[in-house]
Amino acid sequence: MIFTIAIDGPAAAGKGTISKAIAAQLGFAHLDTGLLYRAVGAQMLQGVDPVKAAQSLAPSALRDTNLRTAEVANAASKVAAIPEVRTALVAFQKSFARREGGAVLDGRDIGTVICPEAEVKLYITASAEIRAERRFKELSEKGSTDFATVLADVQARDARDMGRADSPLRPAADAVTIDTSDMSIDAAIAAALAEVETRR
Ligand code: DC
């Protein structure tokens, strides 16, 4: 059985949580494609050429526990605008998407570039302020940060991810948009699962 669920959207809209929940519920494999760009971004911060890093990315690099920082997120968004970096990461994502047993991939270009043939395409979004609030809560549990900085980071990342020439973040023409601004996470998961079920 080949069945791909493509989940795109901006940072902190809830797509990671929704993707994990859907994959667990259906017994599908899940790939957080942002981790690929984060792993390349982390290597760039250590002085490695990002194109070389992308071309030689090892699976173990995705298990680096430092990939979740704001600094790495910004580096990821920067390397993601380099066409050679994206090209190096395409084949792995495409084959993951069409693997036997079903797959959920979340990212920015899954429904538009990686798997335009996906059986389900969701675009998960929320206002920049709400997304910044969620990120701020997460980050302030780990250490000190201020809301204005987090909001500026979210907005800068949106502008970069939506404004780049190669594979910009945008909903696929046939994607269903779910705005999670006023939804609990459980309600957002339920809405996403309901969309999947109408197509199975
Ligand atoms: O989803 P995330 O926040 O972990 O992604 C980090 C960055 O990686 C994001 O700002 C843009 C880039 N990215 C991308 O360009 N394409 C993807 N499919 C996934 C992530």
Side-chain angles (χ1 to χ4, degrees), residues 61-104:
L62 305 184
R63 289 193 288 272
D64 181 341
T65 48
N66 295 318
L67 297 182
R68 292 283 168 207
T69 66
E71 194 191 11
V72 170
N74 284 328
S77 174
K78 285 180 189 155
V79 300
I82 304 171
E84 293 86 349
V85 166
R86 305 199 71 85
T87 302
L89 302 176
V90 163
F92 171 68
Q93 295 176 82
K94 278 185 186 276
S95 71
F96 192 99
R98 298 317 261 171
R99 84 212 302 265
E100 183 55 40
V104 181

Side-chain angles (χ1 to χ4, degrees), residues 137-168:
K137 270 192 202 143
E138 251 173 54
L139 293 173
S140 50
E141 279 160 21
K142 290 179 199 153
S144 67
T145 179
D146 68 283
F147 179 72
T149 306
V150 178
L151 178 60
D153 267 3
V154 163
Q155 287 169 331
R157 207 133 73 84
D158 282 359
R160 217 183 286 123
D161 295 347
M162 293 174 185
R164 67 180 176 230
D166 187 352
S167 315

Side-chain angles (χ1 to χ4, degrees), residues 25-186:
Q25 174 80 24
L26 302 178
F28 284 15
H30 171 225
L31 179 64
D32 169 359
T33 64
L35 277 183
L36 303 172
Y37 295 91
R38 285 173 184 260
V40 173
Q43 289 196 42
M44 181 185 72
L45 291 173
Q46 285 166 7
V48 180
D49 173 67
V51 175
K52 289 205 178 96
Q55 287 168 346
S56 59
L57 200 63
S60 60
L62 305 184
R63 289 193 288 272
D64 181 341
T65 48
N66 295 318
L67 297 182
R68 292 283 168 207
T69 66
E71 194 191 11
V72 170
N74 284 328
S77 174
K78 285 180 189 155
V79 300
I82 304 171
E84 293 86 349
V85 166
R86 305 199 71 85
T87 302
L89 302 176
V90 163
F92 171 68
Q93 295 176 82
K94 278 185 186 276
S95 71
F96 192 99
R98 298 317 261 171
R99 84 212 302 265
E100 183 55 40
V104 181
L105 288 85
D106 70 280
R108 304 291 188 287
D109 62 341
I110 309 305
T112 52
V113 174
I114 298 300
C115 195
E117 67 275 37
E119 282 73 15
V120 181
K121 295 182 191 176
L122 302 178
Y123 189 80
I124 310 292
T125 190
S127 73
E129 287 72 19
I130 297 269
R131 289 185 286 120
E133 258 170 44
R134 292 175 185 163
R135 201 33 64 83
F136 177 66
K137 270 192 202 143
E138 251 173 54
L139 293 173
S140 50
E141 279 160 21
K142 290 179 199 153
S144 67
T145 179
D146 68 283
F147 179 72
T149 306
V150 178
L151 178 60
D153 267 3
V154 163
Q155 287 169 331
R157 207 133 73 84
D158 282 359
R160 217 183 286 123
D161 295 347
M162 293 174 185
R164 67 180 176 230
D166 187 352
S167 315
L169 168 63
R170 59 180 174 79
D174 51 350
V176 172
T177 296
I178 299 177
D179 187 325
T180 67
S181 299
D182 299 318
M183 281 183 181
S184 68
I185 193 60
D186 286 346

